[in-house]
Amino acid sequence: MMRIAVIGQSVFGLEVYKELRKEGHTIVGVFTIPDKDGKADPLGVEAEKDGVNVFKFPRWRLKGKGIPEVVQVYKATGAELNVMPFCSQFIPMEVIDHPAHGSIIYHPSLLPRHRGASAINWTLIHGDKKGGFTVFWADDGLDTGPILLQRECDVEPDDTVNTIYKRFLFPEGVKGTVDAVRLIAAGNAPKIIQPEEGATYEGIQKKDNAKIDWNQSAQVLHNWIRGNDKVPGAWAEVDGQKVTFYGSSLLDSGATAIGQPLEIPGASQPGLVSKAGLMLFGNDGKALLVKNLQFEDGKMIAAARYFSSGSCASVELTEEEKAFTSVYSSILTNVDAIEDSTDFFKSGAASMDVVRLVEEVKLRASGCQLQNEDVYMNTTFQDFIQMCVRKLRGEDDEEELVVDYVEKNINNMTIRMPHQLFVNGEFVDAEGGKTYKTINPTDGTAICDVSLAQSSDVDRAVAAAKEAFEEGEWGKINPRDRGRLLYKLADLMEEHQEELATIESMDSGAVYTLALKTHVGMSIQTFRYFAGWCDKIQGCTIPINQARPNRNLTFTKKEPIGVCAIVIPWNYPLMMLAWKTAACLAAGNTVVLKPAQVTPLTAMKFAELAARAGFPKGVINILPGSGALVGQRLSDHPDVRKLGFTGSTEIGKHIMKSCAVSNVKKVSLELGGKSPLIIFSDCDMDKAVRMGLSAVFFNKGENCIAAGRLFVEENIHDQYVKRVVEEVKKMKIGDPLDRSTDHGPQNHKAHLDKLVEYFCSEIEFGCHTVTICGVTISQFKG
């Protein structure tokens, strides 16, 4: 048995590690990658459970040379062999060569063919009939060392990266790596020098270079698509947007070309959208079929549904499908006759009946995989059966969300921004087509025209929210499924976090790195937090003191209020939305939200993500517009049951009065203040200066707890002012998308000079002395 260091990552590395332990080898150390987004690699997690030393070096080399401290830690393990089952880091040769038995690496190709990190992709792209893997001895050429062991397999005509990996490369690769270690332990492991003949050196496949060149044969197109499936994904421009193709298969030369034409720039002839999928043609006239398509926003659809309008028109059932409907009546035994309008819940069904209904469907039709929420969203007999049949036929795609995007290439990405009102699950124009321009505070230019909500739009949104609450799907979803929707929304926000942060920076002037971490990051955390609360909102019994206490019982039952209006400010546009909206939705309410008129764009992108997460129509409504019109109408509206407002004290008073006069609706107010910061002479001066500046300038000074007043003890006053001025002059104030910017959004030096002048004058000339606890302190406005 040997002392082995495992250097690698992923589930593949984990399985190799476990098998080596079963073989009786001593694992002296596991060297894996650092945690990503707070999640540890599975190899490291398993090793830590076993008490094995785990090291997570972010890098082993610096400027091509091993980092001495890292190398020393490694050498201290006393490894006799390095096993590298899946290693994405560059390991220095002094580590590779250090063990008595050297180092071995797994590679997913039959070396020397397809050397490089995308070996599996190129095996398929080149149309190889044979594939497999190699375990080789590491050298300084990364994948050019002597071969120890190889295993090969047939490559099926429609194999993708996933299928060949799951079928052969993963399970047999684990076994092969362990077999290689056995050969080394037995002292008869070969070292076969790789020939240069047949060696290839293709580049790493990335999204940018996975674009499809249509001027090729159908076979080559098929190989290219399947060789990039699922990562990075072969793509092409279709209808002005980037579309990624998945699930390719070659068609017989006699395949009938019937379908709706789809123009594809550069293709030899238009594609055809048929019931089977999207038929594509090579320059040789032969065809291939693609099953699935993915758009730039991440939405994936069956290719057969490309031209579908999402119509909910009824489908005619076959005799076999009609027999399938008996599952409904088997549960509602109390109903004499099941009709199209029979409502599952109004007929007495409960949550356990939902579970039973879902499981009965799965037993009778394994191809119809339902979730509990499918029942809650299709409560009548006709809706339920239609939904099941569409799923069985593969026609269950959600209604397509139509978004008129404004696109901008900024911050090294293309961002796509909705700019219309979001009412009842749709992006729509305001009454009369009224719009206004939202302005980029960095340079004063207009970002885009945004729909300007009118009073009638408010009435429409409130009516939609009320219907969703009282009659629609939202009230029928159980709390746990409501939580799942919130989690899904948080996941989508995380997928789009860079886009959200860029929009936030452009619209509000927030520094991008702050927007990414705080504005967006904390918003995502908020939705995940409240998702966990959905099924934990409970009442309680209350002890009472009566003459006969044993005959009395008092308890509370917490229920959602109904339509909640939310009016938020411009300093943290997305985070303010998250704090208020997540709580409302978790409790089962519906929402009509008015973002600040000057920062509406992240709220509208949020609306799009909520729709894609599957929130029913009417649950979330977004109305950009003026406070005097939209905010006032929400305050006055008799169907709004609760209003949350963050803003000035003056407006808060007005809102409270309007809410009281209209229908005594509940009100939550977060109003203005003037927070003090007190600095004494025994302070840590460096820290006091940092804290003072941070308290005043954090998020451009647009902070509800900003220290608008500084109190500095008199005998350190001059020193403190001098230090503050020095630090202010060092600040970089400018483009919030510049990673080195301290504070946005102004981009000219005159603003910095004015800032220094203001800060100094407010401190030096706006002061008077006060005594607190016997200590004389200077009070400043700054």
Side-chain angles (χ1 to χ4, degrees):
M1 295 299 103
M2 291 185 291
R3 293 168 58 82
I4 296 175
V6 177
I7 305 175
Q9 65 198 73
S10 81
V11 177
F12 185 89
L14 165 62
E15 293 301 319
V16 170
Y17 160 82
K18 288 161 62 175
E19 291 301 316
L20 292 176
R21 280 175 56 87
K22 288 180 184 177
E23 293 279 307
H25 299 291
T26 300
I27 308 301
V28 295
V30 165
F31 298 82
T32 187
I33 56 175
D35 297 356
K36 185 177 182 181
D37 297 327
K39 296 180 181 179
D41 186 83
L43 170 59
V45 172
E46 185 72 16
E48 286 178 341
K49 289 180 182 177
D50 295 334
V52 174
N53 289 327
V54 176
F55 307 92
K56 302 178 182 181
F57 300 127
R59 62 174 62 186
W60 291 70
R61 302 189 318 183
L62 190 61
K63 296 182 179 180
K65 297 182 178 180
I67 301 172
E69 297 82 5
V70 173
V71 173
Q72 190 59 40
V73 169
Y74 160 78
K75 289 182 176 179
T77 63
E80 297 172 315
L81 173 69
N82 293 331
V83 176
M84 304 164 74
F86 180 82
C87 182
S88 63
Q89 296 175 306
F90 290 101
I91 310 301
M93 286 307 299
E94 56 191 306
V95 171
I96 296 291
D97 294 333
H98 180 74
H101 296 291
S103 302
I104 60 170
I105 303 180
Y106 167 90
H107 194 273
S109 82
L110 296 174
L111 292 174
R113 189 159 172 78
H114 307 311
R115 291 172 178 168
S118 297
I120 311 174
N121 303 76
W122 289 106
T123 294
L124 299 173
I125 291 170
H126 281 284
D128 293 354
K129 302 300 182 184
K130 293 288 183 181
F133 65 86
T134 303
V135 178
F136 70 98
W137 299 92
D139 69 353
D140 58 358
L142 299 182
D143 48 11
T144 59
I147 293 170
L148 191 162
L149 173 150
Q150 288 188 323
R151 299 279 189 271
E152 73 172 30
C153 68
D154 293 325
V155 178
E156 301 296 332
D158 292 332
D159 260 333
T160 65
V161 173
N162 281 351
T163 60
I164 194 171
Y165 187 71
K166 291 178 181 178
R167 185 181 78 250
F168 185 83
L169 295 178
F170 185 101
E172 295 303 318
V174 172
K175 294 177 184 176
T177 304
V178 175
D179 286 345
V181 174
R182 288 196 189 113
L183 291 173
I184 295 170
N188 53 11
K191 289 188 177 182
I192 304 168
I193 303 301
Q194 288 192 44
E196 286 302 312
E197 183 180 355
T200 58
Y201 299 89
E202 297 96 344
I204 296 175
Q205 275 304 88
K206 297 181 179 179
K207 195 72 175 180
D208 289 344
N209 56 27
K211 186 176 181 179
I212 299 171
D213 176 6
W214 295 107
N215 189 27
Q216 301 180 93
S217 69
Q219 177 70 63
V220 173
L221 292 176
H222 166 64
N223 289 342
W224 183 260
I225 293 172
R226 70 189 183 115
N228 288 283
D229 183 349
K230 294 277 184 174
V231 178
W235 61 275
E237 295 282 346
V238 181
D239 284 341
Q241 61 178 320
K242 185 183 290 186
V243 177
T244 305
F245 299 77
Y246 298 111
S248 175
S249 58
L250 274 177
L251 295 177
D252 295 332
S253 56
T256 305
I258 300 176
Q260 189 171 351
L262 175 62
E263 289 293 335
I264 299 176
S268 58
Q269 63 184 89
L272 291 172
V273 177
S274 67
K275 290 183 178 181
L278 173 60
M279 189 181 297
L280 302 168
F281 298 89
N283 59 11
D284 58 353
K286 296 182 179 179
L288 58 143
L289 188 73
V290 169
K291 289 289 188 181
N292 297 302
L293 303 173
Q294 187 172 33
F295 299 97
E296 289 178 272
D297 59 10
K299 181 178 178 62
M300 183 176 284
I301 65 167
R305 301 283 290 171
Y306 186 87
F307 289 114
S308 173
S309 61
S311 171
C312 293
S314 297
V315 295
E316 187 173 346
L317 275 58
T318 64
E319 290 302 316
E320 184 179 356
E321 288 166 346
K322 287 178 181 177
F324 168 71
T325 63
S326 62
V327 65
Y328 209 86
S329 57
S330 68
I331 295 176
L332 297 182
T333 55
N334 59 316
V335 178
D336 294 332
I338 303 294
E339 300 177 352
D340 286 349
S341 60
T342 301
D343 188 284
F344 191 66
F345 296 100
K346 291 180 180 178
S347 300
S351 59
M352 282 304 298
D353 297 311
V354 173
V355 176
R356 181 184 167 191
L357 182 60
V358 169
E359 294 306 314
E360 287 277 357
V361 169
K362 290 179 181 177
L363 284 174
R364 301 189 187 203
S366 59
C368 187
Q369 295 299 308
L370 297 184
Q371 304 296 327
N372 290 355
E373 63 189 273
D374 291 323
V375 181
Y376 288 103
M377 293 191 180
N378 298 275
T379 61
T380 66
F381 172 71
Q382 183 179 26
D383 289 345
F384 177 77
I385 293 302
Q386 291 283 317
M387 178 267 298
C388 290
V389 171
R390 288 181 189 277
K391 282 183 176 290
L392 284 170
R393 296 182 183 182
E395 301 173 354
D396 60 322
D397 293 82
E398 297 176 0
E399 183 176 344
E400 184 70 27
L401 179 67
V402 178
V403 187
D404 180 21
Y405 290 109
V406 172
E407 292 192 3
K408 288 189 178 292
N409 293 313
I410 189 171
N411 199 24
N412 298 318
M413 69 183 79
T414 299
I415 60 171
R416 309 176 76 203
M417 301 175 290
H419 62 103
Q420 297 168 290
L421 314 181
F422 187 73
V423 178
N424 200 28
E426 297 179 327
F427 284 103
V428 295
D429 290 333
E431 181 191 11
K434 293 188 176 181
T435 64
Y436 71 98
K437 295 185 183 300
T438 183
I439 303 299
N440 186 332
T442 300
D443 54 18
T445 61
I447 302 172
C448 64
D449 290 331
V450 176
S451 294
L452 182 65
Q454 305 299 302
S455 291
S456 59
D457 298 314
V458 177
D459 293 341
R460 260 197 309 156
V462 172
K466 182 180 180 182
E467 182 178 358
F469 178 75
E470 295 180 352
E471 305 294 337
E473 301 166 355
W474 189 238
K476 299 170 186 174
I477 296 176
N478 68 36
R480 185 164 295 175
D481 289 329
R482 193 159 63 231
R484 290 194 185 102
L485 278 175
L486 285 172
Y487 274 121
K488 187 174 181 180
L489 174 56
D491 289 344
L492 278 174
M493 291 173 70
E494 189 168 45
E495 286 179 27
H496 291 263
Q497 60 184 334
E498 289 86 2
E499 186 178 18
L500 285 166
T502 301
I503 296 172
E504 194 87 325
S505 295
M506 184 169 56
D507 204 24
S508 76
V511 173
Y512 175 74
T513 50
L514 175 67
L516 190 63
K517 179 180 183 294
T518 301
H519 292 232
V520 179
M522 290 182 67
S523 297
I524 294 167
Q525 292 173 6
T526 297
F527 275 98
R528 289 199 172 122
Y529 171 80
F530 279 103
W533 268 110
C534 289
D535 60 352
K536 301 174 184 66
I537 302 171
Q538 303 155 352
C540 58
T541 57
I542 304 170
I544 56 174
N545 185 13
Q546 297 287 349
R548 296 178 179 179
N550 292 336
R551 299 185 182 180
N552 295 279
L553 174 66
T554 301
F555 65 92
T556 62
K557 181 181 179 183
K558 296 182 179 180
E559 297 180 336
I561 294 172
V563 180
C564 294
I566 298 172
V567 181
I568 57 175
W570 34 259
N571 58 341
Y572 291 93
L574 187 62
M575 197 158 65
M576 285 290 181
L577 176 153
W579 287 355
K580 298 182 189 300
T581 303
C584 285
L585 297 175
N589 301 296
T590 54
V591 170
V592 180
L593 181 138
K594 189 200 88 67
Q597 188 170 353
V598 294
T599 55
L601 295 180
T602 44
M604 297 157 91
K605 187 68 181 180
F606 165 83
E608 177 199 342
L609 298 180
R612 299 197 187 285
F615 279 81
K617 292 183 177 182
V619 175
I620 296 170
N621 304 271
I622 308 293
L623 300 176
S626 73
L629 195 155
V630 178
Q632 185 63 56
R633 181 57 185 149
L634 288 171
S635 300
D636 294 335
H637 206 294
D639 289 332
V640 173
R641 301 295 307 280
K642 168 73 185 286
L643 189 145
F645 170 76
T646 297
S648 71
T649 303
E650 179 183 3
I651 299 300
K653 291 178 180 178
H654 185 78
I655 284 176
M656 180 172 278
K657 181 179 179 180
S658 298
C659 290
V661 171
S662 57
N663 61 344
V664 200
K665 59 175 62 73
K666 295 177 180 292
V667 186
S668 295
L669 302 175
E670 181 190 357
L671 307 178
K674 198 70 172 172
S675 307
L677 177 63
I678 304 172
I679 301 170
F680 292 94
S681 61
D682 61 350
C683 70
D684 178 332
M685 182 59 74
D686 290 338
K687 185 176 181 180
V689 171
R690 288 197 308 271
M691 294 298 291
L693 290 171
S694 176
V696 174
F697 294 128
F698 183 79
N699 197 50
K700 316 178 299 296
E702 298 167 5
N703 202 22
C704 58
I705 56 171
R709 294 180 291 162
L710 297 178
F711 294 80
V712 183
E713 192 167 352
E714 192 172 38
N715 60 352
I716 63 168
H717 163 260
D718 293 345
Q719 179 189 1
Y720 186 79
V721 171
K722 180 180 178 181
R723 288 289 307 279
V724 165
V725 172
E726 290 172 354
E727 293 302 318
V728 170
K729 287 181 177 179
K730 295 177 185 177
M731 290 180 183
K732 181 176 180 180
I733 300 176
D735 181 1
L737 294 175
D738 183 342
R739 304 305 193 270
S740 64
T741 296
D742 296 305
H743 300 286
Q746 299 296 335
N747 64 348
H748 49 81
K749 185 177 183 298
H751 177 75
L752 177 59
D753 295 338
K754 289 179 180 178
L755 189 63
V756 173
E757 179 185 349
Y758 169 80
F759 197 98
C760 296
S761 64
E762 288 294 302
I763 293 180
E764 297 219 53
F765 305 115
C767 64
H768 62 274
T769 58
V770 296
T771 301
I772 298 178
C773 299
V775 179
T776 301
I777 300 176
S778 296
Q779 180 181 354
F780 307 100
K781 294 181 187 175

